[in-house]
């Protein structure tokens, strides 16, 4: 009888040890700050309480998000981000991101909000929650003026097209021009250098980006300024972060009544595109035409 009780006691002790072991494993996961957990986010109240919001932006995409000679973030998205922080009443921590990292940075809680020239697509909308749009965008193709590309229908099989991984240009080219070999880069800076160095025949990207590049780099021309469907640019939050999403949407609607985004364009984009493109590119209050 005593043997039976002893065996039973040993079983209970073993089960307890397993339970403690399991708890220890769970605590280790929690100690990593939730980075291994998908869709880790801070609510609007948590952001306010912390006194700071983390916003993912580009640091090398002039004139939308870039770092100037003084080490300060500037550009169209930054102008907007500064206003969000001001109206929210918190400090802004800008976090440099690349195109391919935007979704990951939201899912892991590295940033609360993405303002990195983020084009809205159905695929991305399954991974993040987009707020109301604030800009129109399409795709364009830039090439050397001496070897201008104004059509993709007769592409030479030996030539390569430059794209940036994680942008809408990549899946568009794969789907619609599978015969064109792609030369992929992770950053805008590397893609620009590849074009300047002649590594690729042309570069397909947001039409706003290639138009800006052509204006600031003599000898290059946008032979195709409207490739594919028209899209919109919008802020994005982590999937399920409804409190922050609702606040951003309300803010965009309010700012639209003040013609804020046209003011943003005038301050940050006029030198690049000219005043004539303002009504074409800008969306006020989230209302597309």
């Amino acid at each position: 009888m005593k043997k039976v009780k002893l065996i039973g006691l040993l079983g209970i002790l073993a089960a307890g040890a397993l339970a403690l072991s399991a708890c220890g494993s769970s605590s280790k996961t929690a100690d990593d700050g939730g980075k291994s957990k998908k869709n880790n986010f801070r609510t609007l109240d948590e952001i306010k309480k912390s006194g700071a919001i983390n916003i993912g932006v580009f640091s090398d995409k002039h004139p939308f998000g870039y770092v100037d000679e003084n080490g300060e973030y500037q550009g169209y998205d930054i102008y907007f981000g500064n206003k969000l922080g001001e109206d929210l009443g918190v400090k802004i921590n800008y976090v440099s991101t690349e195109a391919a990292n935007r979704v990951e940075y939201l899912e892991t809680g590295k940033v609360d909000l993405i303002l990195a020239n983020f084009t809205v697509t159905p695929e991305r909308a399954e991974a993040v929650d987009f707020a109301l749009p604030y800009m129109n965008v399409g795709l364009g193709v830039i090439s050397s003026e001496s070897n201008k590309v104004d059509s993709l229908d007769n592409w030479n099989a030996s030539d390569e097209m430059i794209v940036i991984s994680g942008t809408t240009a990549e899946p568009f080219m794969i789907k619609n021009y599978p015969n064109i070999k792609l030369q992929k880069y992770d950053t805008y800076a590397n893609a620009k250098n590849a074009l300047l160095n002649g590594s690729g025949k042309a570069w397909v990207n947001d039409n706003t980006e290639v138009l800006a590049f052509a204006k600031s780099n003599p000898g290059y021309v946008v032979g195709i300024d409207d490739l594919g469907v028209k899209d919109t640019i919008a802020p994005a939050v982590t999937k399920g972060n409804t409190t922050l999403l609702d606040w951003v949407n309300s803010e965009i609607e309010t700012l639209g009544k003040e013609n804020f985004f046209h003011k943003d364009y005038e301050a940050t984009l006029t030198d690049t595109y000219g005043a004539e493109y303002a009504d074409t590119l800008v969306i006020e209050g989230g209302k597309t035409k």
Side-chain angles (χ1 to χ4, degrees), residues 13 23 30 43 58 98 106 121 126 152 163 176 191 199-200 207 220 226 240 242 249 251 261 279 285:
L13 289 173
C23 288
T43 64
F58 286 129
E98 296 172 2
L106 285 173
T121 68
E126 292 179 2
L152 301 184
V163 298
N176 295 282
S199 298
N207 55 4
Y220 291 86
D226 189 12
T242 55
N249 280 336
E251 178 77 351
F261 293 98
D279 290 337

Side-chain angles (χ1 to χ4, degrees), residues 141 148-155 161 177 180 201 223-224:
V141 178
K148 182 180 177 181
V149 174
D150 54 17
S151 173
L152 301 184
D153 295 334
N154 298 309
W155 188 266
M161 174 70 77
Y177 296 94
I180 296 180
K201 182 176 181 180
I224 305 173

Side-chain angles (χ1 to χ4, degrees), residues 89-253:
V90 298
K91 174 186 172 184
I92 304 169
N93 293 324
Y94 285 118
V95 179
S96 177
T97 183
E98 296 172 2
N101 295 337
R102 290 174 293 195
V103 172
E104 176 193 343
Y105 277 20
L106 285 173
E107 290 181 339
T108 58
K110 187 168 185 177
V111 299
D112 303 299
L113 179 74
I114 286 287
L115 288 181
N117 216 232
F118 211 4
T119 304
V120 179
T121 68
E123 294 77 18
R124 288 173 176 171
E126 292 179 2
V128 303
D129 284 336
F130 283 105
L132 294 170
Y134 60 93
M135 194 169 200
N136 292 305
V137 69
L139 291 177
V141 178
I142 186 171
S143 56
S144 169
E145 200 167 30
S146 60
N147 194 13
K148 182 180 177 181
V149 174
D150 54 17
S151 173
L152 301 184
D153 295 334
N154 298 309
W155 188 266
N156 190 317
S158 63
D159 291 327
E160 295 184 359
M161 174 70 77
I162 297 168
V163 298
I164 300 174
S165 297
T167 64
T168 53
E170 182 182 15
F172 176 84
M173 290 299 297
I174 291 172
K175 179 181 178 181
N176 295 282
Y177 296 94
N179 60 306
I180 296 180
K181 186 176 180 181
L182 301 181
Q183 192 176 119
K184 302 180 183 181
Y185 294 92
D186 290 331
T187 68
Y188 285 90
N190 288 338
K192 291 173 182 177
N193 287 335
L195 183 64
L196 291 170
N197 295 332
S199 298
K201 182 176 181 180
W203 175 25
V204 58
N205 198 37
D206 292 352
N207 55 4
T208 51
E209 178 68 16
V210 294
L211 284 168
F213 185 93
K215 281 205 169 188
S216 59
N217 292 274
Y220 291 86
V221 61
V222 179
I224 305 173
D225 61 7
D226 189 12
L227 181 69
V229 297
K230 293 287 186 181
D231 291 310
T232 58
I233 300 294
V237 303
T238 310
K239 199 74 176 175
N241 194 353
T242 55
T243 56
L244 180 57
L245 180 67
D246 291 344
W247 183 85
V248 173
N249 280 336
S250 177
E251 178 77 351
I252 289 173
E253 290 175 339

Side-chain angles (χ1 to χ4, degrees), residues 63 76 215 262-278:
Y76 185 79
K215 281 205 169 188
H262 275 78
K263 296 174 185 176
D264 187 351
Y265 182 98
E266 183 179 356
T268 62
L269 302 185
T270 299
D271 288 346
T272 302
Y273 301 113
E276 65 272 19
Y277 278 101

